[in-house]
Amino acid sequence: MRSRNSRLGTAAALAGLIAGTAMAGCSTTGMDASDTITIALAANPTGAFDPYRNREFGISEVAPFTHDSLLYKTPEGEFVSRLAATWKADNTSATFTLTPGITCADGSALTAKDVAAAINFASDAANASWAYGYYTPTAPLTAVGDDASRTVRVTVAQPYGYLLDTVGLLPILCAAGVKDPDSLANRSNGTGPYVVSAVSTGETIELKRRDDYAWGPDGTTVADAPATVVFRQIADETTAANLLLSGDVNIANVSGPNSDRVRAAGLDSADAYTAAAWLNFNQREGRATSDRRVREALVHALDFKEVIAVSTNTHGVAAEGLLVTEPAVCPTNAVAGVLPGQDLERAAKLLDEAGWVLGSDGKRVKDGVPLTLGLRYWTDRSELERPTAELLAARWKAIGVGIEPIGENVGGLVKTLYQTGNFDVYLLGWDLRLGSQFIPYLSGPLPPRGQNFMALDNPEYVKLSAEANATTPPQGCDLWGKAERAVVNDFDLVPISNRVTSLFYRGVTGQLTPVEPTSLRATQ
């Protein structure tokens, strides 16, 4: 079973939306096979269509349609050509030779220097791009383009074995977009097979096919691809399921009982695991959760089997490690034998040791201040987030902890994690496939200077992840496993469950796990 970014239908991981107002409510049933397909997303990536500065867009399912990367990685883990016709890499450098004739959405030719400038922008920590550390190393990087030879050479200041898995897969923003982000307010400027043609914020995003596109994976064209792709915002999974069944939507993620009834109707699907109930603990100074004893107590208060059942609606499994999205590089089991079982006596003892005294009213207090924690969850991710948060709150109240569950849409999530930092526990799963992608989130500077929104300071993780980062797989896989276990053992990030989500589709075929835009074909 493959894992997929869960934002199709919300994803993250992440991860919409308008066919022009005329398309927003009409059925796709009976359409010309080359005309239009409609994809349901739970959250509209607001703001500019900027894959570097706008996290909401960068992690959305819209971005792969509009922005290409140098390489394409197949679901089986093989690299094939995309913008780059040839490439070579080791743990100090990589060289990419561009396919000739590539153009941007604004009509300009894509040059090697343009690609180098995009890579340098995304990999410069000073630019605070969300792509830093995700699609780039955290080590200093330099990219140089030679237009005469169409080559882009990337070098790192210290050994790093995953240049193809990061820089090679970085969405490339064309030169005008790098220089002028305001130009991306209502339009895209990448080299992808589609370009944004119409936007209705909070409703739909319409993409039009670029008929001159001929540099997809292994030279794929879009000659038979749908002329129009509509991303339609559908926040409610029940509604998404209904629209699938009625033929008004071609592709949507559906989980839990809704998936059962859609499957019973005979629709095709691709099943995958996505992260479900994961606990992210805020360790900023002054937060109760900065105390390891408090974090461990909260974990001891939970019956994991109960949490798994609720967070997946019995359509899931216990989390094994931090890497969920396939093909994962160095998947490990960082959970088995590390996380404790439910032990209410131990939980109470830990809170006592931390100075949180249980009062006659059943609530814990320290120095006259009640132990009240803010528990936040991402409403766009799944309908199961709220009942999971309510279960956690009930179990933590039973050990004297006051809990305030707060649901947030994607805009609220970004504001909380990267602006205010106002949370104690965030119920948020991670859908990553590469250990190095965790580094800026689990170490380093806090927002806005960095991505470390939990304010983690785990020296063992920093040491082990740095050592693992310098290796090439599979040599470094054991080190990545040890680094992950250091995080879980400290109760910094606690993965509990992964749920099965089903990507259902009708009237369309193609590579759907994950969606590869050039492969899509309308069949209605």
Side-chain angles (χ1 to χ4, degrees):
M1 180 176 290
R2 290 195 175 92
S3 180
R4 176 185 62 250
N5 186 305
S6 65
R7 290 177 177 83
L8 226 185
T10 64
L14 280 137
L17 337 99
I18 162 184
T21 54
M23 274 300 302
C26 69
S27 171
T28 58
T29 303
M31 286 184 176
D32 186 300
S34 64
D35 189 10
T36 299
I37 64 170
T38 301
I39 301 174
L41 292 182
N44 184 345
T46 59
F49 292 98
D50 188 334
Y52 303 156
R53 303 171 181 92
N54 183 0
R55 177 184 301 272
E56 291 183 42
F57 173 65
I59 64 175
S60 77
E61 294 296 333
V62 182
F65 284 78
T66 57
H67 292 77
D68 281 331
S69 52
L70 287 163
L71 304 176
Y72 172 69
K73 194 170 188 179
T74 69
E76 293 72 34
E78 178 187 2
F79 288 103
V80 300
S81 66
R82 197 159 207 156
L83 296 179
T86 62
W87 59 93
K88 60 181 179 179
D90 53 31
N91 69 345
T92 60
S93 66
T95 301
F96 305 90
T97 302
L98 299 183
T99 299
I102 300 171
T103 58
C104 296
D106 63 3
S108 63
L110 181 73
T111 69
K113 289 182 179 179
D114 292 340
V115 174
I119 294 171
N120 285 327
F121 181 91
S123 61
D124 186 347
N127 290 325
S129 170
W130 76 271
Y132 174 76
Y134 186 91
Y135 282 122
T136 75
T138 52
L141 174 152
T142 301
V144 177
D146 183 335
D147 290 340
S149 62
R150 302 196 314 279
T151 58
V152 179
R153 181 171 174 79
V154 177
T155 57
V156 284
Q158 59 195 55
Y160 177 75
Y162 304 87
L163 285 171
L164 297 185
D165 270 294
T166 51
V167 173
L169 302 180
L170 171 72
I172 298 300
L173 177 60
C174 289
V178 173
K179 294 175 183 177
D180 181 15
D182 291 341
S183 68
L184 305 172
N186 287 297
R187 60 187 175 185
S188 58
N189 196 0
T191 62
Y194 289 85
V195 61
V196 172
S197 57
V199 178
S200 179
T201 303
E203 295 182 12
T204 51
I205 295 175
E206 178 187 274
L207 308 182
K208 289 296 186 183
R209 183 183 66 203
R210 298 182 58 197
D211 291 336
D212 62 342
Y213 182 91
W215 46 86
D218 267 345
T220 305
T221 71
V222 290
D224 299 317
T228 304
V229 173
V230 177
F231 286 90
R232 180 174 172 183
Q233 180 168 335
I234 305 170
D236 182 76
E237 274 197 356
T238 299
T239 301
N242 292 339
L243 292 173
L244 272 168
L245 294 173
S246 67
D248 289 282
V249 163
N250 297 101
I251 302 175
N253 265 338
V254 181
S255 59
N258 283 306
S259 68
D260 293 337
R261 67 187 180 94
V262 176
R263 184 172 285 106
L267 267 67
D268 293 322
S269 70
D271 294 338
Y273 285 131
T274 57
W278 291 32
L279 306 180
N280 299 253
F281 290 109
N282 191 347
Q283 297 184 37
R284 286 173 173 81
E285 185 177 357
R287 294 279 173 178
T289 45
S290 66
D291 189 326
R292 185 187 186 279
R293 294 168 296 187
V294 173
R295 302 195 299 273
E296 183 177 355
L298 294 174
V299 174
H300 270 301
L302 301 175
D303 178 343
F304 277 18
K305 290 183 178 180
E306 181 183 46
V307 176
I308 293 168
V310 172
S311 63
T312 70
N313 195 45
T314 71
H315 292 66
V317 296
E320 294 184 347
L322 300 191
L323 301 182
V324 178
T325 301
E326 293 183 5
V329 180
C330 294
T332 66
N333 190 334
V335 176
V338 177
L339 291 177
Q342 185 180 39
D343 188 337
L344 299 182
E345 290 185 6
R346 176 64 177 162
K349 183 178 180 181
L350 285 165
L351 291 176
D352 289 340
E353 292 174 357
W356 295 101
V357 179
L358 187 65
S360 58
D361 60 355
K363 299 179 181 179
R364 291 186 176 271
V365 177
K366 178 166 45 173
D367 300 328
V369 178
L371 178 54
T372 302
L373 303 180
L375 168 64
R376 296 184 182 245
Y377 60 95
W378 185 14
T379 57
D380 293 338
R381 187 169 177 88
S382 167
E383 293 178 348
L384 299 173
E385 303 304 303
R386 178 177 176 178
T388 304
E390 291 173 346
L391 171 65
L392 298 179
R395 298 298 172 258
W396 290 339
K397 286 178 181 178
I399 59 171
V401 180
I403 295 290
E404 182 183 7
I406 300 172
E408 298 183 313
N409 61 19
V410 65
L413 176 148
V414 171
K415 181 177 180 180
T416 294
L417 298 186
Y418 297 100
Q419 297 177 28
T420 68
N422 185 24
F423 71 99
D424 295 296
V425 187
Y426 216 113
L427 179 64
L428 181 67
W430 297 64
D431 294 303
L432 300 180
R433 58 175 180 80
L434 190 64
S436 66
Q437 293 174 333
F438 271 105
I439 291 178
Y441 296 99
L442 303 182
S443 62
L446 280 63
R449 293 180 50 244
Q451 313 286 353
N452 184 6
F453 63 81
M454 289 182 283
L456 302 188
D457 182 13
N458 187 323
E460 185 177 5
Y461 171 78
V462 171
K463 175 180 178 294
L464 290 168
S465 61
E467 293 175 2
N469 222 23
T471 67
T472 54
Q475 289 84 357
C477 290
D478 182 60
L479 285 169
W480 283 119
K482 292 178 180 178
E484 288 186 14
R485 282 187 283 276
V487 171
V488 177
N489 189 56
D490 198 46
F491 303 98
D492 297 330
L493 175 63
V494 177
I496 298 175
S497 66
N498 296 331
R499 70 172 61 99
V500 175
T501 64
S502 298
L503 184 72
F504 287 95
Y505 54 98
R506 65 181 299 166
V508 63
T509 62
Q511 171 60 49
L512 297 170
T513 55
V515 171
E516 166 45 44
T518 62
S519 74
L520 297 182
R521 300 290 183 268
T523 61
Q524 293 179 336

